[in-house]
Amino acid sequence: MWQKMLEAVLSGDTKALARAISFVENETPGYEELLSAISTNAVPVIGITGPPGAGKSTITDKLIGKYIAADDKVAVICVDPSSPFNFGSVLGDRIRMSEWYTNNNVFIRSLATRGSMGGLHPKIIEITELAKAAGYNRIIIETVGVGQSEVEIAGLADSTVVVLVPEGGDEVQTMKSGLMEIADVFVVNKTDRPGADGFVKNLRQMLAPAFHSHKNEISVVKTVAHEGEGIDELAEAIEKSLQHADGEKKSWLLAERTWQLIQKHRMKDIDKLQLKTEIEQAIRHNGSFNPYQFVRNSALLK
Ligand SMILES: Nc1nc2c(ncn2[C@@H]2O[C@H](COP(=O)(O)OP(=O)(O)O)[C@@H](O)[C@H]2O)c(=O)[nH]1
Ligand SMILES: [Mg+2]
């Protein structure tokens, strides 16, 4: 079952990729075998993050256009972990990128569930790998920036783009620690609005000290996304940062994921219902149950 599916994914069948992602999301038996069987080449992953409404989907839409014109195949994964019921935002993404839904060189998928560890999505790494295996040579991950998901996007992406708007003064204050560390490129979108130049100036000033600690220069790009203004400059800034991408964050992310998988693997024989039965038996037998003694002596843990 999974072999046929994998074959279809590798042949570039878009529908098969969509099915394979659901297969993995739902942990349908065979999904681990499928994931074990894929090996992927280095494909650049571009993360686009920032507050809701900043223009991430509009920017993604324009970037798709640029990449498609260059004969790339683009996979876009939209993750909104801020709400379990993000129909509004998914709908927004769909409208913003509607032109591409019927293009064979574009794959767009929205994911709504937040990861149990507070990250983007429990299977985001796997889904990204599937898209790579399907022959997409550009992966864009759009996500609302919230807490832990920012760390994950930075690990997952070879270039992280943080989108802000001129009214985002508060965000700039709170992002000092978080966003600044993960951004390779800052976009100030909606620069058709008043206050844009002052905001850009402040941002550049704020970033100035970071230039010394950050290995590479952080670009600040001004855009008016729905007009396509600044998109060429953005694409250039992304290319530049991709050339300097360092693998350390990615290694940490993979270490974390591997650790989770080991934990799951080690725990696979442990069944709570069976534990409860054993505990009740012990209580009936000895009048009490000592979990510490159990953990020390149980054959399960040998
Ligand atoms: N004035 C203005 N509006 C924009 C610009 N870029 C996007 N928008 C609009 O802002 C709204 C939110 O954009 P969207 O791309 O969905 O934001 P996201 O939530 O970050 O993905 C939409 O109505 C866009 O048309 C811009 O540069 N200027
Ligand atoms: Mg969006």
Side-chain angles (χ1 to χ4, degrees):
M1 155 88 177
W2 65 265
Q3 288 94 337
K4 277 239 158 359
M5 187 181 277
L6 180 60
E7 220 172 274
V9 169
L10 297 181
S11 77
D13 178 343
T14 318
K15 290 207 179 88
L17 174 60
R19 276 200 307 274
I21 291 175
S22 302
F23 189 72
V24 166
E25 262 197 296
N26 300 332
E27 304 194 342
T28 309
Y31 87 97
E32 287 167 313
E33 286 81 354
L34 182 135
L35 289 172
S36 307
I38 56 177
S39 57
T40 54
N41 297 323
V43 171
V45 177
I46 301 160
I48 302 195
T49 188
K56 300 178 295 298
S57 296
T58 314
I59 287 168
T60 302
D61 173 67
K62 300 294 178 196
L63 282 177
I64 297 172
K66 249 195 102 67
Y67 293 144
I68 288 301
D71 274 339
D72 284 329
K73 286 187 73 178
V74 191
V76 179
I77 301 160
C78 304
V79 198
D80 187 351
S82 59
S83 155
F85 306 107
N86 68 336
F87 300 118
S89 111
V90 168
L91 195 64
D93 296 340
R94 283 193 171 261
I95 291 166
R96 239 67 80 201
M97 297 177 220
S98 57
E99 183 187 341
W100 305 115
Y101 272 89
T102 51
N103 188 309
N104 283 328
N105 293 323
V106 182
F107 178 83
I108 302 173
R109 175 76 170 228
S110 295
L111 304 170
T113 332
R114 182 204 280 270
S116 57
M117 312 294 278
L120 283 182
H121 183 278
K123 295 283 193 310
I124 187 70
I125 300 173
E126 290 83 342
I127 291 170
T128 307
E129 289 303 304
L130 280 173
K132 290 181 187 175
Y136 292 88
N137 61 343
R138 292 264 175 195
I139 317 268
I140 300 178
I141 300 177
E142 177 194 327
T143 182
V144 176
V146 278
Q148 181 62 25
S149 68
E150 280 158 17
V151 179
E152 209 165 72
I153 192 79
L156 204 56
D158 300 291
S159 176
T160 305
V161 178
V162 174
V163 183
L164 299 169
V165 290
E167 304 86 88
D170 291 347
E171 271 124 27
V172 172
Q173 284 313 310
T174 51
M175 77 180 192
K176 274 190 178 152
S177 48
L179 288 180
M180 198 118 89
E181 270 166 35
I182 64 158
D184 297 301
V185 178
F186 273 107
V187 171
V188 179
N189 188 37
K190 308 199 184 183
T191 50
D192 52 326
R193 291 194 177 166
D197 287 338
F199 181 82
V200 170
K201 197 168 149 231
N202 282 343
L203 183 60
R204 289 211 167 109
Q205 239 160 33
M206 237 180 69
L207 290 174
F211 286 158
H212 304 294
S213 56
H214 204 278
K215 278 184 241 47
N216 314 298
E217 192 178 319
I218 309 168
S219 315
V220 178
V221 181
K222 292 202 281 182
T223 57
V224 183
H226 65 303
E227 305 281 3
E229 266 176 49
I231 299 298
D232 288 348
E233 290 79 356
L234 171 59
E236 235 169 77
I238 291 172
E239 267 354 88
K240 210 171 85 187
S241 80
L242 283 174
Q243 281 159 21
H244 296 126
D246 87 71
E248 202 187 345
K249 285 181 199 150
K250 188 160 275 185
S251 303
W252 274 118
L253 182 76
L254 282 174
E256 178 64 31
R257 186 69 186 122
T258 307
W259 191 87
Q260 289 168 7
L261 289 177
I262 293 170
Q263 191 180 35
K264 193 174 158 193
H265 187 77
R266 290 228 170 131
M267 293 293 287
K268 70 177 186 300
D269 297 330
I270 314 286
D271 176 52
K272 274 192 194 156
L273 185 65
Q274 190 198 334
L275 277 179
K276 180 171 163 279
T277 313
E278 282 188 38
I279 288 166
E280 284 165 352
Q281 265 170 9
I283 290 173
R284 241 178 284 127
H285 242 246
N286 315 320
S288 69
F289 173 82
N290 183 324
Y292 288 86
Q293 278 175 13
F294 178 83
V295 169
R296 278 175 164 245
N297 302 329
S298 173
L300 272 177
L301 304 172
K302 295 288 180 303

